Amino acid sequence: MTEGPGPSIGNQHATTDFSMKSLTFRNQDVMPALGLGTWKSAPGEVGAAVREAIRIGYRHIDCAAIYGNEAEIGAALRAVFDEGEVRREDLWITSKLWNNAHKRQDVEPALRQTLADLQLEYLDLYLIHWPIALKPDADFPESGEDFLSWDEAPLTDTWAAMEACVSKGLARHVGVSNFSRSNLDRLSEGASITPEVNQIELHPLLQQNDFVAECRENGIHITAYSPLGSRDRPQRLVRDDDPVLLENPVIGRIAEKHGAPPAQVLIAWAIGRGTAVIPKSVNPKRLRENFAALQLGLDPSDLDAIAGLDKHFRFVDGAVWTMEGSPYSLTDLWDD
Ligand code: A2P
């Protein structure tokens, strides 16, 4: 994977500053390690949550077109800027390209729609949401007919269009989400910008240590999604015997030892290993609680205990993309 032109590329390396709790990009732009997740934040709630989060001190907001709430987030951001609480340049805003806009000609219009909804002139980071392509009229697949294969919508084409968005100043940085090692390789053939971030599911039950280390060696920052175990995930993703991460007894014991809530232990663990992390909440008390995790330091014995929890368990397993008739398999998605 090679570095290429564009405002995000210099001869500096991507670095992670553990003490400052931020991740620095190759051009020295800085992403705060702790961000607000907005997946599942309902319209009617998300705007107030974003405003409250910014009041508390969050400066990184993670969005996506498919969450269906970007217009309300945009109105909240507009109000925050108009009232002078923060300036645009004080915030790090990420969004994601949905699966039904992977065709080369559909990428920029999708980004422009997100920018219009968010009432922004540029994104700090734009990600390909999944390495899976759908036909333009399908938000989610109802049958195998709704998919486009990698032959029909090559990831390299989608990536070339993402790179063009950087050249046009619509996104400062570009990356991916839910990409395995093989899919990063597939996308990077002929790329001029190395993906700068891979946003993946990560928590103590799914630690992916080797993959995280490998991405870092290749200059790819990692953002951890579903860090609290995503208890409010859609019903289609819930199985009866799924673990409840926030009630894990090992996490509970560590939390008790520090006099901290379990969510703070999970967030502090993610930040301590050098990833960004985007816990979702729409509740003011929990937003505050999660932000205070920046002050929590875990002991080596805590980290040892958490290391023992890894089960390679996914809350978001991608099975929806592998329905009968789909050109994609779970191996295509996760390599395993
Ligand atoms: P709520 O939005 O009502 O606070 P994830 O970030 O892994 O997707 O998890 C989000 C889920 O965790 C939501 O149900 C959210 O509910 C809940 N949550 C967020 N912060 C906390 C917290 N500090 N303690 C308990 N639950 C939390």
Side-chain angles (χ1 to χ4, degrees):
M1 290 182 277
T2 50
E3 293 187 347
S8 61
I9 302 297
N11 45 19
Q12 309 280 345
H13 294 295
T15 55
T16 302
D17 184 334
F18 293 80
S19 61
M20 293 300 291
K21 306 199 166 136
S22 60
L23 289 80
T24 301
F25 285 66
R26 297 168 207 134
N27 71 343
Q28 303 304 300
D29 280 354
V30 174
M31 175 169 80
L34 178 58
L36 174 68
T38 62
W39 177 38
K40 312 172 258 85
S41 297
E45 292 183 327
V46 70
V50 166
R51 293 202 62 172
E52 181 64 15
I54 290 171
R55 224 168 278 136
I56 290 168
Y58 289 78
R59 293 291 177 266
H60 168 178
I61 315 284
D62 184 81
C63 312
I66 196 62
Y67 301 162
N69 54 16
E70 287 193 324
E72 186 171 327
I73 294 173
L77 293 175
R78 169 62 35 221
V80 164
F81 298 147
D82 285 350
E83 289 165 26
E85 276 177 60
V86 290
R87 297 164 305 167
R88 169 67 187 93
E89 56 269 36
D90 299 327
L91 296 183
W92 181 280
I93 312 279
T94 298
S95 184
K96 311 185 193 82
L97 175 78
W98 189 235
N99 304 356
N100 63 359
H102 275 209
K103 286 282 209 182
R104 197 185 269 259
Q105 67 275 12
D106 293 338
V107 173
E108 185 181 322
L111 172 51
R112 286 191 184 277
Q113 182 61 52
T114 272
L115 289 172
D117 287 343
L118 290 172
Q119 302 192 41
L120 299 176
E121 286 176 6
Y122 69 92
L123 291 177
D124 296 279
L125 177 63
Y126 198 42
L127 307 176
I128 300 180
H129 206 144
W130 286 89
I132 299 287
L134 295 172
K135 290 185 178 160
D137 55 357
D139 274 351
F140 278 93
E142 286 174 8
S143 77
E145 291 292 297
D146 289 329
F147 291 87
L148 293 172
S149 68
W150 280 327
D151 286 338
E152 293 167 306
L155 288 172
T156 45
D157 280 10
T158 312
W159 189 248
M162 297 285 284
E163 291 176 334
C165 292
V166 175
S167 305
K168 290 188 179 177
L170 301 174
R172 297 260 161 102
H173 301 275
V174 282
V176 296
S177 180
N178 295 300
F179 269 57
S180 66
R181 190 176 283 121
S182 309
N183 289 334
L184 282 169
D185 286 345
R186 184 170 279 117
L187 169 136
S188 298
E189 266 170 47
S192 53
I193 302 178
T194 304
E196 296 182 86
V197 169
N198 191 8
Q199 183 179 124
I200 54 177
E201 179 179 342
L202 284 179
H203 43 70
L205 306 179
L206 182 69
Q207 302 190 15
Q208 308 201 63
N209 293 323
D210 291 346
F211 187 43
V212 168
E214 196 178 309
C215 285
R216 187 168 295 140
E217 279 157 24
N218 285 310
I220 302 173
H221 284 309
I222 296 282
T223 298
Y225 77 70
S226 296
L228 309 180
S230 209
R231 207 172 186 170
D232 56 347
R233 65 195 177 284
Q235 207 49 39
R236 68 183 157 78
L237 296 176
V238 179
R239 289 140 301 188
D240 286 346
D241 54 351
D242 280 351
V244 180
L245 182 57
L246 281 166
E247 292 173 7
N248 181 282
V250 172
I251 301 296
R253 271 196 294 280
I254 296 170
E256 209 172 312
K257 183 179 104 181
H258 290 278
Q264 284 187 0
V265 173
L266 296 168
I267 296 165
W269 175 79
I271 292 173
R273 72 201 292 241
T275 65
V277 60
I278 48 168
K280 170 264 176 185
S281 183
V282 290
N283 174 286
K285 174 176 163 287
R286 291 191 283 276
L287 283 169
R288 201 168 289 282
E289 189 169 290
N290 296 348
F291 194 70
L294 287 168
Q295 309 306 323
L296 177 64
L298 299 178
D299 305 329
S301 64
D302 303 333
L303 300 178
D304 284 348
I306 294 174
L309 295 178
D310 197 9
K311 303 207 282 183
H312 206 70
F313 176 84
R314 292 181 192 279
F315 290 103
V316 181
D317 65 5
V320 64
W321 312 124
T322 63
M323 62 171 52
E324 203 182 327
S326 161
Y328 304 103
S329 67
L330 284 179
T331 311
D332 288 333
L333 257 186
W334 307 128
D335 292 352
D336 51 46

